Amino acid sequence: MLNPDAECMNLKTNEDQGDTPHVLSRDHHAISRVNIDSNALKVLYRLHRSGYIAYLVGGSVRDLMLGRKPKDFDVATDARPSKIKKLFRNAILIGRRFRLAHIRFKTGLIEVSTFRKEGSLLEDDSTDRDRISRMHNTFGSPCEDAFRRDFTINALYYNIANFTIIDYTGGLHDLKCGLIRAIGDPIERFGDDPVRMIRAIRAATRVGFAIEASTFEAICAQHKLILTSSPSRLFEEMQILLKMGGSRSALKYMMRTSLFSTLFPEIATIYERTDPVRQDLFFKLFGALDWMTNLHGEQSGQILWGTMFLACLFLQLPLSFSIRRDSDRLRRVLEDTFRIIECIGIRYSIPRRQRSIIRAILQDFPYLLYPKPGSTKFRNFPKRSHFQDAMRLLAIFGHATGRLSLVLKWERP
Ligand code: ATP
Ligand code: MG
């Protein structure tokens, strides 16, 4: 999968780089302080002036290198949490075992972590909680901190002291080549924290990169391990994946790696049994969700999961069903879908309120598609509490099926 681009080949990958970082001086990269959040700059400068190492790290460096707007700015330092707390009156320490500082500003929050290393796993570390607490337990060097991170492009540092980029893991190489590559042995790293498999897909679709071959194969080989992660982390990672504006290609990756059938077996079984037209509609609905996200910003949980269950419903229905002729089938399919909402909803703790809104919208969906203007029901429908969410899901459905005019039927003069 490597791109044989000449420039790409001049940079080292993490296999041949060892512990000596590749350092890119200020005039050899495009990161400018103008594009760094002013709160992050304040934090970096105060740490630096107090004699500590202060690096910007993670997704923000990756995104700035790619000329994209970062979602959040994380800082890594050699200052211990208690020192960070003393330096910043607006800092609170969070986390029981490994303490992170959240520095709160009126316009947002900057997360500051002390360099740490990944602790080795013990045989009795069978649960997600065991693994996470052991993984994040010991302070370390900048190099160790880089190697405990998930992917090479997420482990680059921007040093506020001299504006250089520091690369211990081969991230610059992979950034040039457009690759998401696990740091170290992917089989081991995904075994240590299976949520990284979803994060690989999320990172790839967020920046439009390919997943490097051995990283991809490790996900395919170990997809079942994902079930040992805690439901709350899975819910959180899945929700980020659905709301980032690239859910369609992320879900394609999830199907190809079998992560989807492991996490959502109820929907995967229906998907596998249905015909290509409905399979295609399944992905078109997520394409429409991405369109909505790019148009109006991040969507609420009921819209994200609503799209998932609407897609599940239409895997089982012909697009042009008739409410009267197909009423028995419609009832059966709705009942089945409600059962699936409960199973998946309880498994991943999708909030009860969101589940009930989604159920109400799906129940109404046939009527939303075929309203009877002029009737009392039609007049009263917009008074329902979930009407705005229903209109959004109808627009997503309309976009996916090339029938955006469906929404117009509901517009008031
Ligand atoms: P996004 O743009 O979606 O926020 P991100 O890479 O910044 O992407 P975060 O969840 O904000 O993702 O995490 C910040 C950084 O922390 C990552 O870039 C990575 O270096 C590190 N990280 C997060 N989760 C893990 C994990 N499970 N294992 C190893 N490193 C991780
Ligand atoms: Mg981030």
Side-chain angles (χ1 to χ4, degrees):
M1 240 185 232
L2 262 180
N3 175 352
D5 175 63
E7 243 189 308
C8 221
M9 294 308 178
N10 288 337
L11 290 163
K12 294 170 176 176
T13 65
N14 61 356
E15 273 140 44
D16 46 32
Q17 191 157 311
D19 285 356
T20 324
H22 184 97
V23 179
L24 218 52
S25 64
R26 180 188 202 168
D27 39 343
H28 284 89
H29 66 79
I31 295 189
S32 153
R33 274 165 294 164
V34 176
N35 300 321
I36 301 177
D37 177 83
S38 59
N39 296 330
L41 282 175
K42 271 185 217 154
V43 172
L44 287 166
Y45 275 124
R46 186 168 308 170
L47 284 166
H48 171 58
R49 287 187 190 127
S50 310
Y52 295 108
I53 301 176
Y55 295 158
L56 202 60
V57 66
S60 57
V61 181
R62 173 199 71 207
D63 290 345
L64 289 168
M65 288 291 281
L66 292 169
R68 301 163 58 97
K69 195 172 179 308
K71 199 169 70 113
D72 42 37
F73 290 82
D74 294 330
V75 169
T77 179
D78 58 344
R80 296 289 166 103
S82 56
K83 301 280 189 238
I84 303 173
K85 179 99 182 74
K86 277 198 189 122
L87 275 178
F88 299 92
R89 269 190 306 128
N90 46 343
I92 55 158
L93 299 185
I94 59 153
R96 262 187 315 140
R97 299 262 188 133
F98 192 89
R99 317 207 82 190
L100 293 174
H102 275 178
I103 311 207
R104 292 175 164 179
F105 295 91
K106 276 197 195 102
T107 50
L109 180 144
I110 303 295
E111 190 171 287
V112 184
S113 63
T114 308
F115 297 127
R116 57 187 193 256
K117 61 180 162 200
E118 182 152 314
S120 49
L121 293 176
L122 299 181
E123 276 193 6
D124 61 351
D125 284 343
S126 51
T127 68
D128 205 37
R129 194 186 291 183
D130 289 340
R131 290 199 208 107
I132 301 298
S133 59
R134 192 161 306 285
M135 265 173 6
H136 300 310
N137 240 346
T138 348
F139 294 118
S141 65
C143 174
E144 286 165 329
D145 191 75
F147 276 95
R148 68 137 184 118
R149 291 175 183 274
D150 47 8
F151 308 110
T152 60
I153 64 163
N154 282 350
L156 295 167
Y157 294 128
Y158 172 79
N159 185 358
I160 200 67
N162 55 10
F163 316 117
T164 55
I165 301 288
I166 304 170
D167 175 21
Y168 284 98
T169 67
L172 289 170
H173 169 280
D174 293 337
L175 212 51
K176 274 245 154 62
C177 302
L179 287 176
I180 302 300
R181 183 196 305 269
I183 295 173
D185 174 4
I187 293 273
E188 242 172 63
R189 299 304 307 287
F190 291 145
D192 290 348
D193 182 11
V195 162
R196 289 177 185 146
M197 298 191 276
I198 302 182
R199 290 184 57 84
I201 290 175
R202 171 177 142 199
T205 42
R206 189 184 283 288
V207 295
F209 280 17
I211 301 180
E212 177 274 330
S214 67
T215 304
F216 184 80
E217 279 156 22
I219 303 177
C220 297
Q222 305 200 102
H223 60 90
K224 289 227 161 70
L225 276 185
I226 196 71
L227 293 177
T228 64
S229 298
S230 73
S232 62
R233 283 186 80 211
L234 290 173
F235 173 74
E236 201 180 306
E237 287 292 340
M238 275 307 299
Q239 185 131 308
I240 298 176
L241 185 134
L242 291 175
K243 74 176 165 200
M244 72 187 176
S247 66
R248 181 191 172 122
S249 40
L251 283 168
K252 285 205 161 160
Y253 254 131
M254 291 204 47
M255 287 240 181
R256 279 173 54 208
T257 52
S258 301
L259 276 174
F260 188 83
S261 55
T262 306
L263 287 171
F264 304 102
E266 302 85 352
I267 303 180
T269 311
I270 300 174
Y271 176 90
E272 275 147 27
R273 283 200 206 126
T274 198
D275 56 80
V277 175
R278 278 180 262 187
Q279 289 181 339
D280 189 46
L281 176 61
F282 182 84
F283 287 108
K284 280 189 173 148
L285 282 164
F286 287 101
L289 171 65
D290 297 337
W291 158 79
M292 185 63 87
T293 304
N294 295 322
L295 202 66
H296 293 295
E298 284 182 2
Q299 298 298 297
S300 62
Q302 55 262 33
I303 299 298
L304 303 174
W305 294 102
T307 305
M308 177 71 87
F309 295 117
L310 186 66
C312 172
L313 181 73
F314 276 93
L315 282 173
Q316 307 164 78
L317 275 181
L319 244 189
S320 52
F321 66 90
S322 140
I323 296 189
R324 197 170 301 157
R325 203 182 53 239
D326 298 316
S327 64
D328 278 351
R329 180 173 185 180
L330 200 56
R331 192 175 32 76
R332 262 198 329 271
V333 167
L334 271 172
E335 276 169 12
D336 272 357
T337 308
F338 288 173
R339 194 180 38 78
I340 294 173
I341 294 176
E342 278 319 287
C343 287
I344 294 178
I346 290 169
R347 192 180 312 141
Y348 299 118
S349 311
I350 300 175
R352 193 187 291 270
R353 190 180 148 270
Q354 287 180 15
R355 277 187 265 152
S356 81
I357 293 174
I358 295 167
R359 268 197 314 268
I361 296 175
L362 295 194
Q363 182 87 55
D364 286 343
F365 216 75
Y367 189 75
L368 288 166
L369 292 176
Y370 302 112
K372 294 211 174 65
S375 65
T376 316
K377 184 172 180 183
F378 183 77
R379 270 197 308 279
N380 288 335
F381 222 74
K383 293 182 195 146
R384 299 191 176 199
S385 57
H386 56 266
F387 184 72
Q388 290 310 326
D389 287 328
M391 285 298 108
R392 208 145 255 209
L393 277 178
L394 186 63
I396 287 173
F397 184 84
H399 190 270
T401 52
R403 290 152 67 198
L404 257 179
S405 58
L406 285 170
V407 185
L408 297 181
K409 292 188 190 170
W410 287 96
E411 287 203 341
R412 306 277 118 167

